[in-house]
Amino acid sequence: MFKAFARRAVLAAAISAVAFGTMGFQSNDGQDRRVRIINATGVTMTHFYASNSGQDDWQEDILGQDVLPSGQSVRINIDDGTGACLYDFKARFADGDELIRYRINVCQITEYRYTAG
């Protein structure tokens, strides 16, 4: 039991370090753009992208070499330094599914849940 808990804690810390390192910019408008991404799909999330809705392409995979197992969450600083609040999210899963959501206002939400179905 303790080993499983410790492994989850290490995974969460590793993903958080990647997430905060990847999007480590800070806008000067006082808005909090940190969002908890929750994977409640029943399938492991292998990639996660959050790109300013004004961009034409996806930024780098925030999870990097880590994954987000179903039932787990990670808090990500979405701030890219531009002051934008609207971001597009793309998640890829181990079963090949890809979910894209457009124009998520990260200045107004504190969590985003991916669910099955």
Side-chain angles (χ1 to χ4, degrees):
M1 177 81 161
F2 178 74
K3 286 183 181 181
F5 174 77
R7 190 170 46 244
R8 284 193 301 266
V10 169
L11 173 64
I15 290 174
S16 293
V18 169
F20 282 104
T22 302
M23 304 290 276
F25 302 101
Q26 184 67 41
S27 297
N28 293 323
D29 59 5
Q31 295 285 339
D32 185 355
R33 293 172 175 83
R34 291 174 292 182
V35 177
R36 179 165 302 284
I37 302 300
I38 303 166
N39 182 4
T41 63
V43 180
T44 297
M45 183 184 295
T46 58
H47 299 80
F48 180 76
Y49 305 87
S51 294
N52 179 325
S53 291
Q55 300 293 318
D56 291 333
D57 59 352
W58 293 104
Q59 303 301 310
E60 65 187 67
D61 173 20
I62 294 171
L63 295 179
Q65 294 182 4
D66 292 314
V67 297
L68 185 60
S70 182
Q72 299 291 314
S73 67
V74 63
R75 191 168 186 218
I76 298 173
N77 184 3
I78 306 294
D79 199 338
D80 67 359
T82 66
C85 286
L86 297 179
Y87 283 79
D88 302 332
F89 289 175
K90 178 167 71 170
R92 287 189 188 149
F93 296 87
D95 64 0
D97 281 350
E98 186 173 273
L99 298 174
I100 299 175
R101 302 293 185 256
Y102 296 99
R103 301 180 59 78
I104 305 297
N105 190 329
V106 299
C107 295
Q108 292 182 347
I109 65 168
T110 57
E111 66 180 38
Y112 192 86
R113 180 179 302 270
Y114 284 92
T115 59

